[in-house]
Amino acid sequence: MAVHAAHRCMYLHRLVTACKSIQTHSRNRDVFEKLMIPCNRTFLTASVRSNENDEQSKDSLKLTPKQTQKQDLLLRRKRPLSPLERISSLLPHDVLSPEVMHLREQEQHEEDPQRCDPGTVTDGGDLETHSGHEVGEEAKAAAFHHGEGHVYPSLLGESLLTFGELLIAEHRKKRRVEFRKMFQLQKGALLQSSWGTIKHDDIVGQQAGKFLKTGRGAPIFFRRASLEDYVLYMKRGPAIAYPKDAANMLLMMDVTEGDCVLESGSGSGAMSLFLSRAVGSRGSVLSIEVRQDHHRRSVKNYERWRTSWALRRGQEWPNNVEFLNADLSTASSLLAGRGFHSVALDLIDPHLVLPTVLPHLHPGAVCAIYLANITQVIDLLEGLRCSALPVLCERIIEVPVRQWLVAPALQKDGQYCTRKALNLGEDTSSEEESSDGTDGEAPFEPAFGNVPYIARPHPEQMSHTAFLVKLRKLVR
């Protein structure tokens, strides 16, 4: 109380000397007298509140440091001003002494230290305090991305999973894929596996490339199906042209946007989809299949992919493939008046249709043929020799793909193995004692280059799929 009395006398003296006229002096004196009446009551109230604040601060020890700091700031801001503080706020700054100004700045800094740090951004609500402009932007982006329990797209062009899309579900264990399945999101459906089930309704609205747990707690990775995934996991009739072979056939034929391509042997529609994407919206593909069941299957697979693509990208997949159910060797009228930049054949006896196809192939263009075994290749070359067709066999290739496993070496307890340094006769007993793990410290991550890797071929390899024959049309 004596300290407060001294401060009151000092502020009163400053108040009297600052008054320029009798009227101003009277007004300030009246204000001072009115504020002095509840002085004792205010000090008692402040002391009671300070005791309550002390009790609350003890309870706040159970909170996290950030929550404790936030609670202290709120308690300081709720503290009432004393009468002398109220009077000093009425005085102009030029009449205050340097000691009083310094004391006021200290009090303001204690009440709100963030005024002195312009790089600190404090968000109310459930967000934590972040420092710096970049971190503040990340916090705003995170708040936008997960606000109110919902997920929103955060990147330009990003879209969330919706009903009708084709997804790939994967479960990995010890760096190996134990479960992989392609499915279409449907309302009220379930994804069933040996590791539990997940409702399709829980997947819709999520981001692609996310782990979700089944009812048994197993993590399942979800991503959108690419065209390669779709071709490999779609429902088939006959065998498909595998992506590795289809890619090499596209390179052989040099297919570009706007080309007109002929395909014979639609099969399950795999090569038709790759050609459709290669020629684009300005090109066209004529796909002919002799078997009606294969023709229906290729059309269904093509339309199913177009539907999923439209839901995924918000734009239509080019409708540039014309499927026909006919025998190409006897249906030359279908090609009348047409010219093709390239031809893709997937037939048992392709040499039987070449006399019908070659007249409609541009000079110097390529006909790529997909054959399952080497005896078919021999029959093709023998047919070309006997028919004397104007073509040149440029290449016969097989496309092997060898998958590898490359992973860091792990110990039995799951920790990384580390490379042993070369022992040059130095005393390493102290290092071994410090690294034996008995000190109870958390395991550390080895530095870059200290972990050995194991590399070996994958135990499950894709064997032979087909031979690819490249024929080029000649002009005689």
Side-chain angles (χ1 to χ4, degrees), residues 90-104:
L90 299 175
L91 296 176
H93 293 280
D94 54 350
V95 300
L96 297 178
S97 64
E99 294 81 9
V100 177
M101 289 293 297
H102 182 67
L103 181 61
R104 178 183 291 184

Side-chain angles (χ1 to χ4, degrees), residues 29-239:
R29 183 179 59 185
D30 295 337
V31 173
F32 179 77
E33 291 176 355
K34 290 179 181 180
L35 293 175
M36 283 296 294
I37 295 175
C39 181
N40 295 330
R41 184 173 66 254
T42 304
F43 286 146
L44 293 176
T45 306
S47 62
V48 173
R49 291 183 179 178
S50 63
N51 294 333
E52 294 178 355
N53 295 343
D54 293 338
E55 295 177 358
Q56 294 179 359
S57 62
K58 293 178 181 180
D59 296 336
S60 65
L61 293 175
K62 302 178 182 179
L63 304 176
T64 60
K66 292 184 178 179
Q67 294 176 343
T68 305
Q69 182 181 6
K70 186 184 300 184
Q71 185 176 7
D72 292 340
L73 291 175
L74 293 175
L75 292 175
R76 290 176 183 176
R77 291 174 183 174
K78 292 180 180 179
R79 182 180 63 82
L81 296 177
S82 65
L84 294 177
E85 291 174 341
R86 295 176 183 175
I87 293 176
S88 63
S89 63
L90 299 175
L91 296 176
H93 293 280
D94 54 350
V95 300
L96 297 178
S97 64
E99 294 81 9
V100 177
M101 289 293 297
H102 182 67
L103 181 61
R104 178 183 291 184
E105 291 176 357
Q106 284 184 346
E107 292 175 353
Q108 291 179 355
H109 179 73
E110 291 176 359
E111 291 180 1
D112 193 2
Q114 296 182 4
R115 293 181 181 177
C116 301
D117 188 6
T120 304
V121 180
T122 304
D123 295 329
D126 297 333
L127 295 180
E128 296 180 353
T129 303
H130 302 274
S131 298
H133 175 71
E134 296 179 356
V135 181
E137 293 296 332
E138 293 177 359
K140 292 178 182 178
F144 170 75
H145 197 75
H146 300 282
E148 299 181 359
H150 301 283
V151 181
Y152 301 94
S154 60
L155 298 176
L156 182 64
E158 180 187 358
S159 60
L160 303 180
L161 301 179
T162 183
F163 289 116
E165 285 195 73
L166 293 171
L167 302 184
I168 297 292
E170 293 179 344
H171 175 69
R172 295 176 179 267
K173 186 177 181 181
K174 294 182 179 179
R175 300 190 294 269
R176 293 187 62 181
V177 178
E178 300 288 340
F179 168 76
R180 179 179 288 159
K181 180 180 181 181
M182 185 179 71
F183 66 99
Q184 188 175 22
L185 283 176
Q186 298 177 354
K187 191 171 184 179
L190 285 176
L191 174 65
Q192 299 182 353
S193 67
S194 301
W195 290 268
T197 61
I198 296 180
K199 296 181 179 179
H200 287 200
D201 296 344
D202 297 337
I203 305 174
V204 171
Q206 301 290 339
Q207 290 179 293
K210 187 175 183 179
F211 282 94
L212 295 178
K213 289 188 176 182
T214 64
R216 298 173 56 183
I220 304 293
F221 181 69
F222 293 93
R223 59 180 175 86
R224 288 187 171 97
S226 64
L227 183 56
E228 180 184 4
D229 297 323
Y230 180 72
V231 166
L232 291 175
Y233 295 103
M234 67 183 182
K235 190 173 181 179
R236 305 178 187 176

Side-chain angles (χ1 to χ4, degrees), residues 256-258 275-284 318 320:
T256 58
E257 186 177 2
L275 289 172
S276 175
R277 183 168 66 176
V279 300
S281 58
R282 296 187 300 169
S284 62
N320 52 10

